[in-house]
Amino acid sequence: MSNLHIHPISAFSDNYIWCLHNQQLAVVVDPGDAGPVQRYLQQKGLQLAGILVTHHHPDHIAGINTLVEQWPGIPVWGPAREHIPARTQALQQGDRVQLPLGLELQVLDVPGHTLGHIAYFGTGADTGPVLFCGDTLFSSGCGRLFEGTPEQMFHSLGLFRRLPGETRVFCTHEYTLSNLKFAQAVEPDNRDIQQRKADVEQLRAGQLPSLPSTLALELKVNPFLRTDQADVIEAVSRNCGARPASEAQTFARLRAWKDHF
Ligand code: ZN
Ligand code: FE
């Protein structure tokens, strides 16, 4: 009934603030800057009905207070274990969020980038399965480990790996091309990575986002979701001169490799 749209609002140099709306009500995810959100809502004649937050970094929360001042009383859903301004609902693994747009989301605890980081997954009648993953998963990459351990992040990404392949993945940064350069260094013979790179170059040349991605695509091109693949294990072994003892260790070494890439 609701005909739900999901639109990227660009902010800063490479952030996306995803806006879910039904032509009347809107919910935004991780509004790091209020200005672009206010302009978009005004342009489209939308009324803000809620804010979803994945983690506490300023580029994801700095616009919240201004938006709440303009739209007093709206729900602000955010991680229970982090400090989120104006938060009205403190969420953790297993909690459910009923958006005023006919979409129910479930909360996943995904520590790693930050310790209290959460993600939102749901399946809408007209959206199919959708994942709002904040800075945990990027297209062809994953978030830096600012607070958590590699083991935590490996486990968090494991939760995503089990979601349906057709899940659309709404990442919060346009890092895809630089991530693909690393992915190619890890797997130079991976045809899917080559194809994705060509596709993204074309999208970016037309100033279009490379997102959302899908989980099925990420499983083919994202080295951080491919730590069980022989080619990735080989590459990591060559890069650090020893074979990793476990898949979690393959992930840890891959993440460390990318940090210095
Ligand atoms: Zn972040
Ligand atoms: Fe960020």
Side-chain angles (χ1 to χ4, degrees):
M1 64 169 220
S2 70
N3 204 11
L4 186 60
H5 302 264
I6 308 178
H7 179 86
I9 301 171
S10 293
F12 309 116
S13 57
D14 53 33
N15 283 68
Y16 294 121
I17 299 166
W18 293 101
C19 178
L20 299 81
H21 73 86
N22 60 8
Q23 314 284 11
Q24 188 196 351
L25 300 176
V27 170
V28 291
V29 185
D30 286 351
D33 194 2
V37 174
Q38 290 170 315
R39 284 192 290 278
Y40 181 76
L41 296 176
Q42 160 119 51
Q43 225 174 61
K44 296 275 172 185
L46 296 167
Q47 188 184 330
L48 191 63
I51 295 174
L52 291 163
V53 182
T54 64
H55 69 293
H56 69 86
H57 284 157
D59 64 311
H60 298 251
I61 64 167
I64 296 175
N65 281 333
T66 304
L67 292 172
V68 170
E69 270 167 44
Q70 188 185 350
W71 309 94
I74 60 169
V76 177
W77 295 279
R81 303 208 307 273
E82 298 192 348
H83 178 73
I84 306 295
R87 184 187 60 206
T88 62
Q89 327 280 333
L91 304 173
Q92 56 191 331
Q93 179 80 31
D95 286 340
R96 284 168 189 279
V97 174
Q98 192 64 53
L99 296 185
L101 297 166
L103 175 65
E104 186 185 72
L105 298 171
Q106 66 186 82
V107 176
L108 304 172
D109 279 342
V110 287
H113 178 68
T114 64
L115 278 175
H117 201 305
I118 59 172
Y120 301 89
F121 172 78
T123 304
D126 37 34
T127 61
V130 293
L131 174 67
F132 298 94
C133 55
D135 284 355
T136 298
L137 181 64
F138 295 122
S139 183
S140 215
C142 75
R144 275 180 187 265
L145 303 178
F146 285 115
E147 298 175 13
T149 64
E151 288 70 24
Q152 284 176 315
M153 188 60 140
F154 176 68
H155 180 264
S156 296
L157 293 175
L159 300 180
F160 295 163
R161 281 159 90 173
R162 288 198 286 276
L163 297 175
E166 70 269 26
T167 302
R168 287 189 295 155
V169 183
F170 294 87
C171 317
T172 44
H173 289 274
E174 182 60 66
Y175 291 159
T176 314
L177 265 187
S178 75
N179 285 340
L180 283 165
K181 284 173 195 148
F182 177 69
Q184 270 195 317
V186 178
E187 292 187 88
D189 301 326
N190 181 324
R191 294 274 185 100
D192 295 310
I193 293 175
Q194 292 160 17
Q195 183 60 55
R196 173 69 168 151
K197 190 154 173 277
D199 292 344
V200 173
E201 276 164 354
Q202 199 171 3
L203 287 168
R204 299 305 296 147
Q207 280 162 18
L208 292 170
S210 64
L211 302 165
S213 184
T214 66
L215 204 58
L217 177 58
E218 292 309 310
L219 289 171
K220 292 194 273 186
V221 302
N222 191 326
F224 296 98
L225 299 182
R226 295 173 55 76
T227 42
D228 58 343
Q229 299 291 310
D231 285 357
V232 174
I233 298 167
E234 272 308 311
V236 167
S237 305
R238 255 181 283 120
N239 186 259
C240 57
R243 213 176 160 75
S246 64
E247 195 182 345
Q249 197 173 65
T250 303
F251 174 81
R253 292 183 175 171
L254 194 62
R255 186 57 259 182
W257 180 5
K258 173 78 162 45
D259 287 342
H260 301 108
F261 184 71

